[in-house]
Structures are given as structure tokens and as C-alpha cells.
Amino acid sequence: MICSLLLTLFWLVWGSRPADAQPVSGAQRVEFESLDRSRGRAIHLLGWLFTAKGDGSARAPLVIALHGCGGLYGRDKNLNQRHRSMAELLRQEGYHVLFPDSFTPRGKNSICSEKIGARDLTSENRRRDVLGALNWSATRLDLDTNRIALLGWSHGASTVLSANNRQLSEVAGHDIKARAAIAFYPGCTAYLNARGGYRPNAPLLLLMGEKDDWTPPQPCVALHAKVYAKYPNDVFELRLYPDSYHDFDDPNAPLRVRKDVPNGVHPGQGVTTGSNPAARKQAYAEMLEFLRQRLARQN
């Protein structure tokens, strides 16, 4: 508690510098400005870049990977197991991978136990983190800014939806655009009911567990049907995996009920999380195929 307060005070006073974080094994620390602002100041973020496997002779595509409500790190302060395994999988496939840290520079470790309506860090704030990351990509000679994908889990997946909504002028008008967007178990209700509507800016793939009681699939199914009815030529794919809950792709996570989470289908009763290895394998295969199709080099 005291550490979190000190970190918050540090950020308020020294908003021009991202907070310190322990080095992440195998990754390069990078810093960039979010388009989000606080008290008139741009929020400066840190991120971890994993470079694509190869000889570096050509620019490689980039995946911007967005953490969920629990943040990037495990108990050892390194990236947690899911993020580490995803980084290695994607870099072996020839992608650079950037993990922006939206929490540490804002003095947060986790927002999972905060009620949605009480949160002061939303997918709107993090959408502007994504736009800042897209701007940063243009400063790198090793990144192909014409081949960028967004990827996220849970709160990060909801951010993917927000950062990929063509109905928002700051998304539609941004100079650098993603060519693919992939969201693991996002919350879709806000986008289903958005006053301005929802339309994918880039081809979109949603991957969800049928039994998810934290971010249930039904609003995403309705959003998919609504978008398809209005924009039948847009690419918006939805995959539902049986016998799968929230975090189904987390490696070796036992099935459990998290009583510390106040949100979900049954507020106050907790939510179910845990791995489904079969669903994880299938989802990752579909994710990789989606990336290959959408980030193919254009002549």
C-alpha cells in the first residue's frame, strides 16, 4: 500500500518519466508517450520489446500485446508465464512483440478487484496508450509499420476493441494503423451499446470460452451479429471454445473461483478462471493463421 502510494506520488510529480521497473529477461526496455494525458501532461509509458527471430536484414512485423487487469508481471517481477510464452511463440514466427506496461507508470499493479464503474483507468485511457505505441513504431528502423497487429487479453482485449473502432475519430484518423486485431475474452457490452456504434478498423478475431462467467461471450456474439448485419464485407471472426472459462489459454493454471473479483455474470460471487489446454492449442493455431493472412507482406 505504501509502495503503491509512493509510486503514484512519483508519477504525479515526475509525470515526464516512466517509473522504474525490474528488467525483463530477453527484452529491450523502450519508452514512449501515450496520447493519454493527466493534468495537462502526456503520460510516459514503458514497454518491453522482444525482437523477431532472424538475421535482422529486413523489417519485421510487430504485434502490440496488451495485458489484462492483473498487469504484465508475475510474482518474480518478470513477465508472467502467459506473456513469456506468447512472446517466444510470436518471435519464433518472425514477429517483433511489444508489451506496453499501462499500469506501472500510473502507480498501479492490478485493477481486477476494482468494480468496473469505480475504475479510473479504462480501455479509453489504454486506447491512447496503443495510439502512442503506434507512433513509437515509426521511430524504429527494424519495424514494418505497414504490418502491425493488436493483441490483448481481457481488459487488454477490451482495449483492442476500443483501439480498433473505426467509429472513433482518433482511431479512424490516426496515421499509423493496425492491419489485424486479436482479442482473447474481451468485455463486449460497452461496444454493443456504444452510442456511436462499432465497426472494426482492421480485421478482427475474437477468441472466447463458452463458459466464461467474467466476460461472458453472449454480448460478443450479439456484437458480432450486429456488425455483420450492418457491414457484411468487414472481417470480424468469432471463435467459441467449449468447456472453457476466462484465462483458458493461461499455461497450467488450475481451475478456481476468484472471490476477489467483484465483476462478472454474478457480481459478488466471484468468477471462474483456469486453463483448457485443448482450447489453448486450437486458439493459438487460429491466431497464428489469422496473423499470417493479415500481415502478409504486400508487394
Side-chain angles (χ1 to χ4, degrees), residues 3-20 34 36-45 102-108 120-121 125:
C3 291
S4 179
L5 177 59
L6 289 174
L7 187 57
T8 301
L9 290 173
F10 175 90
W11 168 67
L12 289 173
V13 176
W14 300 100
S16 61
R17 297 176 57 195
D20 288 334
S34 172
D36 195 21
R37 304 183 71 83
S38 177
R39 300 187 179 184
R41 292 180 174 180
I43 294 177
H44 289 244
L45 298 180
S102 290
F103 283 5
T104 304
R106 292 181 170 99
K108 293 183 179 291
D120 59 3
L121 176 55
N125 301 115

PDB file of all heavy atoms in Angstrom, residues 3-20 34 36-45 102-108 120-121 125:
ATOM      1  N   CYS A   3       4.051   1.446  -0.828  1.00  0.00           N
ATOM      2  CA  CYS A   3       4.827   1.476  -2.075  1.00  0.00           C
ATOM      3  C   CYS A   3       3.993   2.003  -3.233  1.00  0.00           C
ATOM      4  O   CYS A   3       4.451   2.789  -4.058  1.00  0.00           O
ATOM      5  CB  CYS A   3       5.371   0.084  -2.401  1.00  0.00           C
ATOM      6  SG  CYS A   3       6.649  -0.451  -1.251  1.00  0.00           S
ATOM      7  N   SER A   4       2.720   1.538  -3.282  1.00  0.00           N
ATOM      8  CA  SER A   4       1.836   1.985  -4.362  1.00  0.00           C
ATOM      9  C   SER A   4       1.581   3.485  -4.263  1.00  0.00           C
ATOM     10  O   SER A   4       1.569   4.202  -5.275  1.00  0.00           O
ATOM     11  CB  SER A   4       0.514   1.217  -4.304  1.00  0.00           C
ATOM     12  OG  SER A   4      -0.351   1.657  -5.309  1.00  0.00           O
ATOM     13  N   LEU A   5       1.398   3.995  -3.026  1.00  0.00           N
ATOM     14  CA  LEU A   5       1.170   5.423  -2.840  1.00  0.00           C
ATOM     15  C   LEU A   5       2.389   6.236  -3.261  1.00  0.00           C
ATOM     16  O   LEU A   5       2.270   7.259  -3.938  1.00  0.00           O
ATOM     17  CB  LEU A   5       0.831   5.702  -1.377  1.00  0.00           C
ATOM     18  CG  LEU A   5       0.620   7.176  -0.990  1.00  0.00           C
ATOM     19  CD1 LEU A   5      -0.521   7.781  -1.805  1.00  0.00           C
ATOM     20  CD2 LEU A   5       0.340   7.295   0.496  1.00  0.00           C
ATOM     21  N   LEU A   6       3.575   5.756  -2.866  1.00  0.00           N
ATOM     22  CA  LEU A   6       4.798   6.457  -3.240  1.00  0.00           C
ATOM     23  C   LEU A   6       4.978   6.483  -4.749  1.00  0.00           C
ATOM     24  O   LEU A   6       5.409   7.488  -5.325  1.00  0.00           O
ATOM     25  CB  LEU A   6       6.005   5.793  -2.571  1.00  0.00           C
ATOM     26  CG  LEU A   6       6.115   5.985  -1.055  1.00  0.00           C
ATOM     27  CD1 LEU A   6       7.267   5.158  -0.508  1.00  0.00           C
ATOM     28  CD2 LEU A   6       6.309   7.453  -0.705  1.00  0.00           C
ATOM     29  N   LEU A   7       4.647   5.346  -5.404  1.00  0.00           N
ATOM     30  CA  LEU A   7       4.777   5.283  -6.859  1.00  0.00           C
ATOM     31  C   LEU A   7       3.823   6.255  -7.531  1.00  0.00           C
ATOM     32  O   LEU A   7       4.172   6.941  -8.506  1.00  0.00           O
ATOM     33  CB  LEU A   7       4.506   3.851  -7.337  1.00  0.00           C
ATOM     34  CG  LEU A   7       4.750   3.542  -8.805  1.00  0.00           C
ATOM     35  CD1 LEU A   7       6.194   3.862  -9.189  1.00  0.00           C
ATOM     36  CD2 LEU A   7       4.441   2.080  -9.079  1.00  0.00           C
ATOM     37  N   THR A   8       2.607   6.350  -6.981  1.00  0.00           N
ATOM     38  CA  THR A   8       1.640   7.292  -7.537  1.00  0.00           C
ATOM     39  C   THR A   8       2.119   8.727  -7.383  1.00  0.00           C
ATOM     40  O   THR A   8       2.024   9.537  -8.312  1.00  0.00           O
ATOM     41  CB  THR A   8       0.278   7.119  -6.840  1.00  0.00           C
ATOM     42  OG1 THR A   8      -0.169   5.779  -7.023  1.00  0.00           O
ATOM     43  CG2 THR A   8      -0.760   8.069  -7.431  1.00  0.00           C
ATOM     44  N   LEU A   9       2.645   9.064  -6.188  1.00  0.00           N
ATOM     45  CA  LEU A   9       3.170  10.402  -5.963  1.00  0.00           C
ATOM     46  C   LEU A   9       4.331  10.705  -6.896  1.00  0.00           C
ATOM     47  O   LEU A   9       4.466  11.800  -7.429  1.00  0.00           O
ATOM     48  CB  LEU A   9       3.606  10.544  -4.498  1.00  0.00           C
ATOM     49  CG  LEU A   9       2.468  10.569  -3.468  1.00  0.00           C
ATOM     50  CD1 LEU A   9       3.043  10.538  -2.056  1.00  0.00           C
ATOM     51  CD2 LEU A   9       1.590  11.794  -3.656  1.00  0.00           C
ATOM     52  N   PHE A  10       5.193   9.686  -7.120  1.00  0.00           N
ATOM     53  CA  PHE A  10       6.321   9.848  -8.028  1.00  0.00           C
ATOM     54  C   PHE A  10       5.832  10.218  -9.420  1.00  0.00           C
ATOM     55  O   PHE A  10       6.346  11.130 -10.067  1.00  0.00           O
ATOM     56  CB  PHE A  10       7.114   8.539  -8.080  1.00  0.00           C
ATOM     57  CG  PHE A  10       8.242   8.552  -9.075  1.00  0.00           C
ATOM     58  CD1 PHE A  10       9.517   8.962  -8.703  1.00  0.00           C
ATOM     59  CD2 PHE A  10       8.040   8.141 -10.391  1.00  0.00           C
ATOM     60  CE1 PHE A  10      10.548   8.964  -9.620  1.00  0.00           C
ATOM     61  CE2 PHE A  10       9.066   8.153 -11.307  1.00  0.00           C
ATOM     62  CZ  PHE A  10      10.324   8.560 -10.918  1.00  0.00           C
ATOM     63  N   TRP A  11       4.803   9.521  -9.864  1.00  0.00           N
ATOM     64  CA  TRP A  11       4.281   9.772 -11.212  1.00  0.00           C
ATOM     65  C   TRP A  11       3.661  11.167 -11.318  1.00  0.00           C
ATOM     66  O   TRP A  11       3.839  11.884 -12.296  1.00  0.00           O
ATOM     67  CB  TRP A  11       3.246   8.708 -11.563  1.00  0.00           C
ATOM     68  CG  TRP A  11       2.472   9.049 -12.792  1.00  0.00           C
ATOM     69  CD1 TRP A  11       2.937   9.133 -14.071  1.00  0.00           C
ATOM     70  CD2 TRP A  11       1.095   9.388 -12.860  1.00  0.00           C
ATOM     71  NE1 TRP A  11       1.940   9.495 -14.923  1.00  0.00           N
ATOM     72  CE2 TRP A  11       0.791   9.652 -14.203  1.00  0.00           C
ATOM     73  CE3 TRP A  11       0.084   9.476 -11.919  1.00  0.00           C
ATOM     74  CZ2 TRP A  11      -0.480  10.010 -14.620  1.00  0.00           C
ATOM     75  CZ3 TRP A  11      -1.181   9.829 -12.335  1.00  0.00           C
ATOM     76  CH2 TRP A  11      -1.442  10.097 -13.673  1.00  0.00           C
ATOM     77  N   LEU A  12       2.920  11.591 -10.251  1.00  0.00           N
ATOM     78  CA  LEU A  12       2.290  12.908 -10.295  1.00  0.00           C
ATOM     79  C   LEU A  12       3.325  14.024 -10.354  1.00  0.00           C
ATOM     80  O   LEU A  12       3.141  15.038 -11.025  1.00  0.00           O
ATOM     81  CB  LEU A  12       1.396  13.100  -9.061  1.00  0.00           C
ATOM     82  CG  LEU A  12       0.106  12.256  -9.037  1.00  0.00           C
ATOM     83  CD1 LEU A  12      -0.589  12.409  -7.700  1.00  0.00           C
ATOM     84  CD2 LEU A  12      -0.821  12.643 -10.175  1.00  0.00           C
ATOM     85  N   VAL A  13       4.423  13.845  -9.624  1.00  0.00           N
ATOM     86  CA  VAL A  13       5.451  14.870  -9.585  1.00  0.00           C
ATOM     87  C   VAL A  13       6.351  14.807 -10.809  1.00  0.00           C
ATOM     88  O   VAL A  13       6.725  15.808 -11.406  1.00  0.00           O
ATOM     89  CB  VAL A  13       6.287  14.744  -8.292  1.00  0.00           C
ATOM     90  CG1 VAL A  13       7.433  15.746  -8.294  1.00  0.00           C
ATOM     91  CG2 VAL A  13       5.395  14.959  -7.068  1.00  0.00           C
ATOM     92  N   TRP A  14       6.692  13.567 -11.240  1.00  0.00           N
ATOM     93  CA  TRP A  14       7.632  13.373 -12.338  1.00  0.00           C
ATOM     94  C   TRP A  14       6.929  12.719 -13.512  1.00  0.00           C
ATOM     95  O   TRP A  14       7.359  11.704 -14.025  1.00  0.00           O
ATOM     96  CB  TRP A  14       8.810  12.510 -11.888  1.00  0.00           C
ATOM     97  CG  TRP A  14       9.566  13.132 -10.762  1.00  0.00           C
ATOM     98  CD1 TRP A  14       9.469  12.824  -9.447  1.00  0.00           C
ATOM     99  CD2 TRP A  14      10.533  14.182 -10.852  1.00  0.00           C
ATOM    100  NE1 TRP A  14      10.300  13.617  -8.716  1.00  0.00           N
ATOM    101  CE2 TRP A  14      10.978  14.456  -9.547  1.00  0.00           C
ATOM    102  CE3 TRP A  14      11.059  14.919 -11.926  1.00  0.00           C
ATOM    103  CZ2 TRP A  14      11.920  15.432  -9.282  1.00  0.00           C
ATOM    104  CZ3 TRP A  14      12.002  15.891 -11.646  1.00  0.00           C
ATOM    105  CH2 TRP A  14      12.421  16.146 -10.335  1.00  0.00           C
ATOM    106  N   GLY A  15       5.801  13.330 -13.926  1.00  0.00           N
ATOM    107  CA  GLY A  15       4.984  12.732 -14.979  1.00  0.00           C
ATOM    108  C   GLY A  15       5.702  12.594 -16.300  1.00  0.00           C
ATOM    109  O   GLY A  15       5.249  11.885 -17.182  1.00  0.00           O
ATOM    110  N   SER A  16       6.844  13.258 -16.469  1.00  0.00           N
ATOM    111  CA  SER A  16       7.551  13.185 -17.734  1.00  0.00           C
ATOM    112  C   SER A  16       8.439  11.951 -17.825  1.00  0.00           C
ATOM    113  O   SER A  16       9.066  11.716 -18.841  1.00  0.00           O
ATOM    114  CB  SER A  16       8.413  14.431 -17.927  1.00  0.00           C
ATOM    115  OG  SER A  16       9.380  14.519 -16.902  1.00  0.00           O
ATOM    116  N   ARG A  17       8.521  11.167 -16.753  1.00  0.00           N
ATOM    117  CA  ARG A  17       9.383   9.981 -16.767  1.00  0.00           C
ATOM    118  C   ARG A  17       8.600   8.750 -16.328  1.00  0.00           C
ATOM    119  O   ARG A  17       7.891   8.795 -15.325  1.00  0.00           O
ATOM    120  CB  ARG A  17      10.560  10.175 -15.811  1.00  0.00           C
ATOM    121  CG  ARG A  17      11.484  11.295 -16.185  1.00  0.00           C
ATOM    122  CD  ARG A  17      12.539  11.446 -15.118  1.00  0.00           C
ATOM    123  NE  ARG A  17      13.288  10.204 -14.926  1.00  0.00           N
ATOM    124  CZ  ARG A  17      14.054   9.980 -13.860  1.00  0.00           C
ATOM    125  NH1 ARG A  17      14.150  10.864 -12.910  1.00  0.00           N
ATOM    126  NH2 ARG A  17      14.721   8.838 -13.766  1.00  0.00           N
ATOM    127  N   PRO A  18       8.708   7.644 -17.046  1.00  0.00           N
ATOM    128  CA  PRO A  18       8.056   6.426 -16.593  1.00  0.00           C
ATOM    129  C   PRO A  18       8.753   5.875 -15.359  1.00  0.00           C
ATOM    130  O   PRO A  18       9.947   6.051 -15.175  1.00  0.00           O
ATOM    131  CB  PRO A  18       8.208   5.466 -17.788  1.00  0.00           C
ATOM    132  CG  PRO A  18       9.378   5.979 -18.540  1.00  0.00           C
ATOM    133  CD  PRO A  18       9.409   7.471 -18.317  1.00  0.00           C
ATOM    134  N   ALA A  19       7.977   5.211 -14.513  1.00  0.00           N
ATOM    135  CA  ALA A  19       8.533   4.657 -13.288  1.00  0.00           C
ATOM    136  C   ALA A  19       9.501   3.528 -13.592  1.00  0.00           C
ATOM    137  O   ALA A  19       9.443   2.885 -14.637  1.00  0.00           O
ATOM    138  CB  ALA A  19       7.399   4.147 -12.410  1.00  0.00           C
ATOM    139  N   ASP A  20      10.395   3.279 -12.657  1.00  0.00           N
ATOM    140  CA  ASP A  20      11.349   2.196 -12.818  1.00  0.00           C
ATOM    141  C   ASP A  20      10.640   0.847 -12.750  1.00  0.00           C
ATOM    142  O   ASP A  20       9.626   0.688 -12.078  1.00  0.00           O
ATOM    143  CB  ASP A  20      12.417   2.261 -11.724  1.00  0.00           C
ATOM    144  CG  ASP A  20      13.371   3.428 -11.930  1.00  0.00           C
ATOM    145  OD1 ASP A  20      13.518   3.853 -13.084  1.00  0.00           O
ATOM    146  OD2 ASP A  20      13.933   3.909 -10.938  1.00  0.00           O
ATOM    147  N   SER A  34       2.165   8.108 -24.306  1.00  0.00           N
ATOM    148  CA  SER A  34       0.767   7.817 -24.592  1.00  0.00           C
ATOM    149  C   SER A  34       0.111   9.086 -25.112  1.00  0.00           C
ATOM    150  O   SER A  34       0.573  10.205 -24.845  1.00  0.00           O
ATOM    151  CB  SER A  34       0.061   7.349 -23.323  1.00  0.00           C
ATOM    152  OG  SER A  34      -1.340   7.239 -23.528  1.00  0.00           O
ATOM    153  N   ASP A  36      -2.743   9.667 -24.016  1.00  0.00           N
ATOM    154  CA  ASP A  36      -3.492   9.982 -22.812  1.00  0.00           C
ATOM    155  C   ASP A  36      -2.742  11.060 -22.026  1.00  0.00           C
ATOM    156  O   ASP A  36      -1.511  11.127 -22.073  1.00  0.00           O
ATOM    157  CB  ASP A  36      -3.660   8.725 -21.956  1.00  0.00           C
ATOM    158  CG  ASP A  36      -4.721   8.882 -20.887  1.00  0.00           C
ATOM    159  OD1 ASP A  36      -5.583   9.761 -21.024  1.00  0.00           O
ATOM    160  OD2 ASP A  36      -4.686   8.104 -19.905  1.00  0.00           O
ATOM    161  N   ARG A  37      -3.483  11.883 -21.315  1.00  0.00           N
ATOM    162  CA  ARG A  37      -2.859  12.967 -20.564  1.00  0.00           C
ATOM    163  C   ARG A  37      -3.441  13.034 -19.159  1.00  0.00           C
ATOM    164  O   ARG A  37      -4.569  12.596 -18.916  1.00  0.00           O
ATOM    165  CB  ARG A  37      -3.068  14.321 -21.269  1.00  0.00           C
ATOM    166  CG  ARG A  37      -2.556  14.345 -22.702  1.00  0.00           C
ATOM    167  CD  ARG A  37      -2.704  15.710 -23.334  1.00  0.00           C
ATOM    168  NE  ARG A  37      -1.783  16.683 -22.787  1.00  0.00           N
ATOM    169  CZ  ARG A  37      -0.522  16.816 -23.190  1.00  0.00           C
ATOM    170  NH1 ARG A  37      -0.049  16.033 -24.149  1.00  0.00           N
ATOM    171  NH2 ARG A  37       0.263  17.739 -22.656  1.00  0.00           N
ATOM    172  N   SER A  38      -2.657  13.560 -18.241  1.00  0.00           N
ATOM    173  CA  SER A  38      -3.109  13.787 -16.870  1.00  0.00           C
ATOM    174  C   SER A  38      -2.585  15.134 -16.405  1.00  0.00           C
ATOM    175  O   SER A  38      -1.386  15.415 -16.493  1.00  0.00           O
ATOM    176  CB  SER A  38      -2.597  12.675 -15.944  1.00  0.00           C
ATOM    177  OG  SER A  38      -2.974  12.930 -14.608  1.00  0.00           O
ATOM    178  N   ARG A  39      -3.512  15.985 -15.948  1.00  0.00           N
ATOM    179  CA  ARG A  39      -3.152  17.332 -15.505  1.00  0.00           C
ATOM    180  C   ARG A  39      -2.345  18.082 -16.567  1.00  0.00           C
ATOM    181  O   ARG A  39      -1.381  18.771 -16.280  1.00  0.00           O
ATOM    182  CB  ARG A  39      -2.387  17.263 -14.186  1.00  0.00           C
ATOM    183  CG  ARG A  39      -3.181  16.621 -13.063  1.00  0.00           C
ATOM    184  CD  ARG A  39      -2.466  16.729 -11.736  1.00  0.00           C
ATOM    185  NE  ARG A  39      -3.284  16.116 -10.690  1.00  0.00           N
ATOM    186  CZ  ARG A  39      -2.961  16.131  -9.399  1.00  0.00           C
ATOM    187  NH1 ARG A  39      -1.855  16.722  -9.005  1.00  0.00           N
ATOM    188  NH2 ARG A  39      -3.742  15.553  -8.505  1.00  0.00           N
ATOM    189  N   GLY A  40      -2.750  17.883 -17.812  1.00  0.00           N
ATOM    190  CA  GLY A  40      -2.116  18.580 -18.913  1.00  0.00           C
ATOM    191  C   GLY A  40      -0.821  17.974 -19.398  1.00  0.00           C
ATOM    192  O   GLY A  40      -0.233  18.470 -20.358  1.00  0.00           O
ATOM    193  N   ARG A  41      -0.373  16.898 -18.773  1.00  0.00           N
ATOM    194  CA  ARG A  41       0.891  16.278 -19.164  1.00  0.00           C
ATOM    195  C   ARG A  41       0.645  14.955 -19.883  1.00  0.00           C
ATOM    196  O   ARG A  41      -0.234  14.186 -19.511  1.00  0.00           O
ATOM    197  CB  ARG A  41       1.760  15.985 -17.931  1.00  0.00           C
ATOM    198  CG  ARG A  41       2.298  17.209 -17.214  1.00  0.00           C
ATOM    199  CD  ARG A  41       3.128  16.762 -16.029  1.00  0.00           C
ATOM    200  NE  ARG A  41       3.793  17.872 -15.369  1.00  0.00           N
ATOM    201  CZ  ARG A  41       4.566  17.726 -14.305  1.00  0.00           C
ATOM    202  NH1 ARG A  41       4.751  16.524 -13.787  1.00  0.00           N
ATOM    203  NH2 ARG A  41       5.145  18.789 -13.749  1.00  0.00           N
ATOM    204  N   ALA A  42       1.459  14.716 -20.885  1.00  0.00           N
ATOM    205  CA  ALA A  42       1.409  13.409 -21.545  1.00  0.00           C
ATOM    206  C   ALA A  42       1.908  12.348 -20.579  1.00  0.00           C
ATOM    207  O   ALA A  42       2.847  12.577 -19.807  1.00  0.00           O
ATOM    208  CB  ALA A  42       2.268  13.421 -22.797  1.00  0.00           C
ATOM    209  N   ILE A  43       1.283  11.199 -20.592  1.00  0.00           N
ATOM    210  CA  ILE A  43       1.715  10.081 -19.759  1.00  0.00           C
ATOM    211  C   ILE A  43       2.791   9.313 -20.504  1.00  0.00           C
ATOM    212  O   ILE A  43       2.587   8.888 -21.646  1.00  0.00           O
ATOM    213  CB  ILE A  43       0.530   9.167 -19.412  1.00  0.00           C
ATOM    214  CG1 ILE A  43      -0.465   9.931 -18.533  1.00  0.00           C
ATOM    215  CG2 ILE A  43       1.007   7.901 -18.727  1.00  0.00           C
ATOM    216  CD1 ILE A  43      -1.694   9.154 -18.181  1.00  0.00           C
ATOM    217  N   HIS A  44       3.927   9.171 -19.889  1.00  0.00           N
ATOM    218  CA  HIS A  44       5.042   8.455 -20.491  1.00  0.00           C
ATOM    219  C   HIS A  44       5.011   7.004 -20.030  1.00  0.00           C
ATOM    220  O   HIS A  44       4.948   6.733 -18.836  1.00  0.00           O
ATOM    221  CB  HIS A  44       6.379   9.108 -20.121  1.00  0.00           C
ATOM    222  CG  HIS A  44       6.589  10.424 -20.796  1.00  0.00           C
ATOM    223  ND1 HIS A  44       7.610  10.648 -21.698  1.00  0.00           N
ATOM    224  CD2 HIS A  44       5.891  11.578 -20.724  1.00  0.00           C
ATOM    225  CE1 HIS A  44       7.542  11.898 -22.141  1.00  0.00           C
ATOM    226  NE2 HIS A  44       6.515  12.481 -21.558  1.00  0.00           N
ATOM    227  N   LEU A  45       5.045   6.111 -20.979  1.00  0.00           N
ATOM    228  CA  LEU A  45       4.928   4.687 -20.703  1.00  0.00           C
ATOM    229  C   LEU A  45       6.255   3.981 -20.917  1.00  0.00           C
ATOM    230  O   LEU A  45       7.144   4.466 -21.611  1.00  0.00           O
ATOM    231  CB  LEU A  45       3.880   4.056 -21.613  1.00  0.00           C
ATOM    232  CG  LEU A  45       2.447   4.573 -21.475  1.00  0.00           C
ATOM    233  CD1 LEU A  45       1.547   3.841 -22.456  1.00  0.00           C
ATOM    234  CD2 LEU A  45       1.941   4.413 -20.058  1.00  0.00           C
ATOM    235  N   SER A 102       0.847  -0.496 -19.063  1.00  0.00           N
ATOM    236  CA  SER A 102      -0.072   0.612 -18.812  1.00  0.00           C
ATOM    237  C   SER A 102      -0.254   0.902 -17.331  1.00  0.00           C
ATOM    238  O   SER A 102      -0.861   1.921 -16.975  1.00  0.00           O
ATOM    239  CB  SER A 102      -1.446   0.311 -19.436  1.00  0.00           C
ATOM    240  OG  SER A 102      -1.406   0.361 -20.843  1.00  0.00           O
ATOM    241  N   PHE A 103       0.245   0.012 -16.460  1.00  0.00           N
ATOM    242  CA  PHE A 103      -0.037   0.133 -15.037  1.00  0.00           C
ATOM    243  C   PHE A 103       1.084   0.801 -14.238  1.00  0.00           C
ATOM    244  O   PHE A 103       0.855   1.759 -13.508  1.00  0.00           O
ATOM    245  CB  PHE A 103      -0.319  -1.248 -14.450  1.00  0.00           C
ATOM    246  CG  PHE A 103      -1.688  -1.795 -14.760  1.00  0.00           C
ATOM    247  CD1 PHE A 103      -2.557  -1.114 -15.602  1.00  0.00           C
ATOM    248  CD2 PHE A 103      -2.104  -2.992 -14.222  1.00  0.00           C
ATOM    249  CE1 PHE A 103      -3.815  -1.619 -15.891  1.00  0.00           C
ATOM    250  CE2 PHE A 103      -3.358  -3.497 -14.495  1.00  0.00           C
ATOM    251  CZ  PHE A 103      -4.226  -2.820 -15.335  1.00  0.00           C
ATOM    252  N   THR A 104       2.304   0.279 -14.353  1.00  0.00           N
ATOM    253  CA  THR A 104       3.392   0.766 -13.502  1.00  0.00           C
ATOM    254  C   THR A 104       3.580   2.271 -13.588  1.00  0.00           C
ATOM    255  O   THR A 104       3.685   2.943 -12.551  1.00  0.00           O
ATOM    256  CB  THR A 104       4.704   0.038 -13.841  1.00  0.00           C
ATOM    257  OG1 THR A 104       4.506  -1.381 -13.707  1.00  0.00           O
ATOM    258  CG2 THR A 104       5.831   0.465 -12.913  1.00  0.00           C
ATOM    259  N   PRO A 105       3.610   2.873 -14.788  1.00  0.00           N
ATOM    260  CA  PRO A 105       3.779   4.329 -14.851  1.00  0.00           C
ATOM    261  C   PRO A 105       2.617   5.111 -14.245  1.00  0.00           C
ATOM    262  O   PRO A 105       2.752   6.297 -13.970  1.00  0.00           O
ATOM    263  CB  PRO A 105       3.901   4.608 -16.358  1.00  0.00           C
ATOM    264  CG  PRO A 105       4.382   3.325 -16.938  1.00  0.00           C
ATOM    265  CD  PRO A 105       3.684   2.269 -16.134  1.00  0.00           C
ATOM    266  N   ARG A 106       1.473   4.436 -14.036  1.00  0.00           N
ATOM    267  CA  ARG A 106       0.324   5.092 -13.420  1.00  0.00           C
ATOM    268  C   ARG A 106       0.181   4.719 -11.944  1.00  0.00           C
ATOM    269  O   ARG A 106      -0.837   5.028 -11.317  1.00  0.00           O
ATOM    270  CB  ARG A 106      -0.954   4.739 -14.179  1.00  0.00           C
ATOM    271  CG  ARG A 106      -1.041   5.322 -15.592  1.00  0.00           C
ATOM    272  CD  ARG A 106      -2.362   4.937 -16.241  1.00  0.00           C
ATOM    273  NE  ARG A 106      -2.621   5.641 -17.483  1.00  0.00           N
ATOM    274  CZ  ARG A 106      -2.404   5.144 -18.702  1.00  0.00           C
ATOM    275  NH1 ARG A 106      -1.880   3.924 -18.826  1.00  0.00           N
ATOM    276  NH2 ARG A 106      -2.685   5.844 -19.787  1.00  0.00           N
ATOM    277  N   GLY A 107       1.165   4.032 -11.402  1.00  0.00           N
ATOM    278  CA  GLY A 107       1.139   3.680  -9.990  1.00  0.00           C
ATOM    279  C   GLY A 107       0.205   2.549  -9.644  1.00  0.00           C
ATOM    280  O   GLY A 107      -0.276   2.450  -8.509  1.00  0.00           O
ATOM    281  N   LYS A 108      -0.060   1.657 -10.597  1.00  0.00           N
ATOM    282  CA  LYS A 108      -0.970   0.543 -10.357  1.00  0.00           C
ATOM    283  C   LYS A 108      -0.260  -0.791 -10.576  1.00  0.00           C
ATOM    284  O   LYS A 108       0.659  -0.893 -11.394  1.00  0.00           O
ATOM    285  CB  LYS A 108      -2.191   0.625 -11.277  1.00  0.00           C
ATOM    286  CG  LYS A 108      -3.103   1.808 -10.981  1.00  0.00           C
ATOM    287  CD  LYS A 108      -4.331   1.798 -11.881  1.00  0.00           C
ATOM    288  CE  LYS A 108      -5.250   2.967 -11.575  1.00  0.00           C
ATOM    289  NZ  LYS A 108      -5.903   2.856 -10.254  1.00  0.00           N
ATOM    290  N   ASP A 120     -10.519   4.188 -12.447  1.00  0.00           N
ATOM    291  CA  ASP A 120     -10.063   5.437 -13.070  1.00  0.00           C
ATOM    292  C   ASP A 120      -9.087   5.170 -14.211  1.00  0.00           C
ATOM    293  O   ASP A 120      -8.514   6.107 -14.773  1.00  0.00           O
ATOM    294  CB  ASP A 120      -9.434   6.370 -12.037  1.00  0.00           C
ATOM    295  CG  ASP A 120      -8.234   5.747 -11.327  1.00  0.00           C
ATOM    296  OD1 ASP A 120      -7.849   4.613 -11.664  1.00  0.00           O
ATOM    297  OD2 ASP A 120      -7.681   6.410 -10.422  1.00  0.00           O
ATOM    298  N   LEU A 121      -8.903   3.900 -14.547  1.00  0.00           N
ATOM    299  CA  LEU A 121      -8.101   3.517 -15.704  1.00  0.00           C
ATOM    300  C   LEU A 121      -8.962   2.602 -16.565  1.00  0.00           C
ATOM    301  O   LEU A 121      -9.336   1.503 -16.150  1.00  0.00           O
ATOM    302  CB  LEU A 121      -6.820   2.799 -15.268  1.00  0.00           C
ATOM    303  CG  LEU A 121      -5.923   2.247 -16.385  1.00  0.00           C
ATOM    304  CD1 LEU A 121      -5.554   3.326 -17.376  1.00  0.00           C
ATOM    305  CD2 LEU A 121      -4.675   1.613 -15.791  1.00  0.00           C
ATOM    306  N   ASN A 125      -8.469   5.114 -21.778  1.00  0.00           N
ATOM    307  CA  ASN A 125      -7.097   5.538 -21.475  1.00  0.00           C
ATOM    308  C   ASN A 125      -6.098   4.668 -22.221  1.00  0.00           C
ATOM    309  O   ASN A 125      -5.134   5.158 -22.824  1.00  0.00           O
ATOM    310  CB  ASN A 125      -6.817   5.432 -19.977  1.00  0.00           C
ATOM    311  CG  ASN A 125      -7.749   6.257 -19.125  1.00  0.00           C
ATOM    312  OD1 ASN A 125      -8.529   5.708 -18.352  1.00  0.00           O
ATOM    313  ND2 ASN A 125      -7.681   7.572 -19.248  1.00  0.00           N
TER     314      ASN A 125
END
